[in-house]
Amino acid sequence: MRKDFNPDELPGGDFYRLLTAVVVPRPIAWVSSTSADGVDNLAPHSFFTVASVTPPIVQFTSVGRKDSLRNILERREFVVNLAPADLTAEVNATGTNFPPDVSEFDAAGLTREQSLTVDVPRVAESPVALECRLHSTLEMGDCVLVFGEVTHAAVSTDVLEGSHPRIDLLEPLARLGRDEWGHLGPVEELGRIRRSEWPGHFRRRDEPEA
């Protein structure tokens, strides 16, 4: 049995809250940007993904027109920092609605680190920084999708095995529903099935075994 939800019949942000409770876990783009006045902004955005392989493009969504979006449109560059579990309090703090003249770096006690290809600081405490130049934006309803071409990736050697980042060392944070946050749980390694190796045992759960 299921309960039906019609977005046209729900008041306010009820359907938004439903979506964010079921589209989970969501990785967090911890976006640093710099205003035209030189104020360094830092904010978490949990509508985030890889949008293209070649060229390498990442995408996050600004829900509403926030400081990150304004700064990126003005300067056309930004950094996506990985949000690690040991900085949960700081990541959450940078989501506070400070006025544009307040830097979340300073408010949350975080350290600026100079980037190599953009004039926007990285978060020194974060193990990964993706430096980006603005590729394009796409307005969709009350949101703006921001696409950034990755011009440089800086990864702490503390989280690398050779040249590969280890997920257990990255310990990425994730957003869930309401005020819930997720941490890394059990990790299962499972290769994609080749057609030539199809096992043939899949069937409906309610179908009896032969």
Side-chain angles (χ1 to χ4, degrees), residues 69-142:
L69 177 62
R70 185 192 66 248
N71 295 345
I72 291 168
L73 291 175
E74 290 175 346
R75 300 285 292 265
R76 305 192 67 79
E77 56 186 18
F78 59 98
V79 177
V80 174
N81 306 274
L82 185 135
D86 65 349
L87 293 177
T88 303
E90 288 83 353
V91 174
N92 182 55
T94 59
T96 302
N97 58 336
F98 292 111
D101 60 346
V102 173
S103 172
E104 289 81 2
F105 276 89
D106 301 326
L110 294 162
T111 309
R112 295 167 175 81
E113 178 180 275
Q114 185 172 352
S115 296
L116 292 184
T117 62
V118 297
D119 194 21
V120 174
R122 311 166 183 160
V123 177
E125 291 83 357
S126 171
V128 179
L130 303 177
E131 300 176 11
C132 301
R133 291 205 176 94
L134 180 63
H135 177 276
S136 56
T137 60
L138 175 63
E139 293 194 23
M140 190 167 294
D142 60 353

Side-chain angles (χ1 to χ4, degrees), residues 56-60 78 132-136 146-150:
I57 294 175
V58 293
Q59 176 262 316
F60 77 91
F78 59 98
C132 301
R133 291 205 176 94
L134 180 63
H135 177 276
S136 56
V146 179
F147 298 88
E149 183 169 353
V150 180

Side-chain angles (χ1 to χ4, degrees), residues 16 20 23-31 43-49 59-63 66 83 91 173-178 180-181:
Y16 164 79
T20 56
V23 182
V24 289
R26 298 188 310 281
I28 299 169
W30 204 11
V31 178
H45 297 265
S46 70
F47 292 8
F48 169 54
T49 191
Q59 176 262 316
F60 77 91
T61 298
S62 176
V63 180
K66 299 177 179 176
V91 174
L173 269 176
R175 283 291 280 122
L176 308 174
R178 295 178 175 171
E180 301 159 338
W181 299 71

